[in-house]
Amino acid sequence: MTKICCFTGHRTIKNLPPIEVLNKLKKVLVDLIENEGFCDFRTGGAIGFDTMAALTILELKKKYPHIKLHLFLPYKAQDSYFTPQEKQVYHYTIACADSVTYTQNSFSKEALFARNRALVDGTDLCVAYLERLDGGTYYTVNYARKQRVNTINLFKS
């Protein structure tokens, strides 16, 4: 049976150097792939930690071609307020992903919450970067815990 991991994290990483977060993420992912049998990885396509996770999975696919990246996006125009560079990376991850699912047709707060729940539903593990106890990341980690999905917080590890 395929093990599924989702990611959630803040758009801005403030309290740790991003390279430190990236190194922690890579270490956890290699362990999950090599020792725990995880093959499917889900991310929500937001800037910040979501993008870091997606790009890391795409990088690791070169060494582990059996792993899959699945994007769960809240709506088609999610990149409306992204910078040109953020849009370029966003569209690259969409083009390289093994699947893309949109949870709603247009922007609403509910679209974001629906995406967060869809990320978690049916997963075995949630890898988070949670620095503060508010916002979408906090909501998603709490939802994962209520669904009895194990969580790893890279901020605290």
Side-chain angles (χ1 to χ4, degrees):
M1 185 170 200
T2 299
K3 288 188 176 181
I4 303 169
C5 173
C6 70
F7 301 98
T8 187
H10 302 298
R11 288 179 176 84
T12 304
I13 296 170
K14 296 180 181 176
N15 294 314
L16 290 176
I19 191 68
E20 185 178 329
V21 177
L22 179 61
N23 289 337
K24 286 181 174 191
L25 177 63
K26 283 182 181 178
K27 183 179 179 191
V28 166
L29 287 173
V30 168
D31 181 60
L32 292 175
I33 295 164
E34 290 184 353
N35 301 317
E36 302 294 329
F38 280 82
C39 297
D40 286 342
F41 298 90
R42 298 176 178 179
T43 186
I47 60 171
F49 186 74
D50 281 8
T51 299
M52 181 186 289
L55 292 174
T56 303
I57 292 298
L58 293 175
E59 178 187 330
L60 289 172
K61 280 181 73 123
K62 294 171 188 169
K63 184 175 180 181
Y64 308 100
H66 66 285
I67 67 172
K68 307 283 187 218
L69 173 63
H70 305 283
L71 298 179
F72 283 70
L73 308 177
Y75 55 97
K76 288 194 177 186
Q78 177 177 352
D79 65 341
S80 297
Y81 298 102
F82 290 11
T83 67
Q85 183 180 3
E86 291 164 347
K87 284 184 183 195
Q88 183 178 15
V89 172
Y90 178 75
H91 289 284
Y92 169 78
T93 60
I94 289 173
C96 295
D98 293 285
S99 71
V100 178
T101 302
Y102 295 95
T103 57
Q104 302 282 323
N105 291 322
S106 59
F107 172 77
S108 69
K109 285 198 177 215
E110 177 51 34
L112 300 173
F113 291 122
R115 182 266 317 269
N116 294 343
R117 291 187 302 269
L119 276 171
V120 170
D121 290 342
T123 62
D124 301 289
L125 178 67
C126 179
V127 174
Y129 182 79
L130 177 64
E131 300 181 338
R132 54 190 186 276
L133 305 180
D134 63 0
T137 299
Y138 181 63
Y139 170 87
T140 307
V141 168
N142 279 335
Y143 181 77
R145 289 175 177 153
K146 288 177 185 173
Q147 300 304 310
R148 301 189 193 288
V149 172
N150 291 327
T151 61
I152 297 172
N153 184 0
L154 296 179
F155 178 62
K156 292 187 175 186
S157 65

